[in-house]
Amino acid sequence: MPSTLNTNVLPIEAARAAYAGLDIAVILPCYNEEAAIGAVVEGFRRELPQARIYVYDNNSKDRTSEVAVAAGAIVRAETLQGKGNVVRRMFADIDADIYLMCDGDITYDAASAPALIAKLVEENLDMVVGCRVDSEEAAYRAGHRFGNALFTGFVAHLFGNRFTDILSGYRVFSRRYVKSFPALSNGFETETELTVHALQLRMPIGELDTPYGARLEGSTSKLSTYRDGFRILLMITKLFKNERPLLFFSVLFGLLALVSIGLSIPVIVTYLETGLVPRLPTAVLAASIMLLAFLALTCGLVLDTVTHGRREMKRLAYLTVPSVGATREKKA
């Protein structure tokens, strides 16, 4: 699928010159992509002739591995099912200066790869996301479009508004990003985790519009609108609790405190009028809920300190790896 967007990037030869001499790995997680993987590998071999192309087969039941090998890819296997498990394995196994990750379903534009990498190198970034711009209605289902906008809004509100497409599977990473990423998710929620990791460490990041097309005939999407949508929402909630515990438990404190006050008002009014507490169980319940509210607030305060220390350790681990700019200067 040829690129049709005006992305205001360097001409192709200038883009390739920007990352000349750097070690590039194209990493493609795949599950039952026999129909498309050959064309995907050939596309990246054409656009990035110096790159090593890895296909990680995630228990495919078809000829995905055979087709990928025939197209010239290095094929490896990950037996733990789920895209997050494959990403964890790829990031652990492969050593490179620049990593380009893409799905193996030919919906993403291989011709945009030089521009994405050049942006990462020229601006000394740690991650560049290929934002999907579709020209075919079949490429991007309405439910997926709505879900992406919803989840992007959630993440922007909780962690910072620096992305417009947090669920894109087309991304370029620096080595220091990859080697500092903990990769804890199992499935399609891995894109959310990738995004929040960059936001929490305040990494230099960027976006670039890329064409997004429909799957080939015979290739089916592995993304379930409702099941995976729920898992992504659950991942956002977990990251909210883990990365911003004071805000998370303050919200819980507020909700519990409101319930407690609501229950206690009739009891207090009756006591002020009669000097009696006829609703003793309600009074005990209201007091217990208020204790839980303050317990939640205390948890938030303690965990906020723990999270701050953990974030410092992650930042220090991130800083131990040279930036792509420093690597480029060293190899120049």
Side-chain angles (χ1 to χ4, degrees), residues 12 41 46 69 95 108 123 169 179 258 268:
I12 187 65
V41 173
R46 180 178 62 252
V69 169
D95 194 38
Y108 293 102
E123 299 180 25
K179 297 308 178 182
L258 285 175
I268 294 172

Side-chain angles (χ1 to χ4, degrees), residues 25-36:
V26 176
I27 49 179
L28 307 171
C30 286
Y31 174 65
N32 290 345
E33 295 293 357
E34 176 186 351

Side-chain angles (χ1 to χ4, degrees), residues 6 85 127 131 180 206 254 266:
N6 178 13
N85 292 319
M127 179 170 67
C131 297
S180 67

Side-chain angles (χ1 to χ4, degrees), residues 4-66:
T4 58
L5 295 181
N6 178 13
T7 52
N8 297 319
V9 295
L10 294 172
I12 187 65
E13 292 306 322
R16 287 173 174 166
Y19 54 78
L22 293 175
D23 184 15
I24 300 172
V26 176
I27 49 179
L28 307 171
C30 286
Y31 174 65
N32 290 345
E33 295 293 357
E34 176 186 351
I37 189 60
V40 173
V41 173
E42 289 169 3
F44 283 114
R45 288 186 65 193
R46 180 178 62 252
E47 300 298 333
L48 301 170
Q50 77 277 43
R52 290 170 288 131
I53 300 176
Y54 295 87
V55 170
Y56 272 71
D57 189 347
N58 194 206
N59 301 317
S60 295
K61 304 300 189 296
D62 59 10
R63 297 179 60 253
T64 294
S65 293
E66 291 88 335

Side-chain angles (χ1 to χ4, degrees), residues 143-171:
H144 291 181
R145 192 189 307 273
F146 171 76
N148 188 25
L150 182 66
F151 294 140
T152 298
F154 281 167
V155 170
H157 183 71
L158 294 173
F159 301 104
N161 187 15
R162 299 178 66 191
F163 288 101
T164 58
D165 185 1
I166 70 162
L167 300 182
S168 173
Y170 200 9
R171 299 171 185 243

Side-chain angles (χ1 to χ4, degrees), residues 214-230:
R215 283 175 167 268
L216 293 178
E217 185 177 351
S219 176
T220 58
S221 174
K222 315 307 182 297
L223 180 67
S224 170
T225 301
Y226 299 105
R227 183 194 64 209
D228 289 309
F230 176 76

Side-chain angles (χ1 to χ4, degrees), residues 1-3 27-29 33 36 39-41 43-44 46-47 83 100-113 116 129-134 139-140 148 165-171 188 191 208-216 223:
M1 180 178 60
S3 178
I27 49 179
L28 307 171
E33 295 293 357
V40 173
V41 173
F44 283 114
R46 180 178 62 252
E47 300 298 333
K83 186 175 181 179
L100 185 146
M101 185 176 75
C102 185
D103 294 341
D105 56 12
I106 211 171
T107 55
Y108 293 102
D109 180 34
S112 299
L116 289 166
V129 178
C131 297
R132 294 167 287 183
V133 179
D134 57 293
Y140 210 172
N148 188 25
D165 185 1
I166 70 162
L167 300 182
S168 173
Y170 200 9
R171 299 171 185 243
F188 283 105
E191 280 89 1
L208 198 64
D209 287 345
T210 60
Y212 186 69
R215 283 175 167 268
L216 293 178
L223 180 67

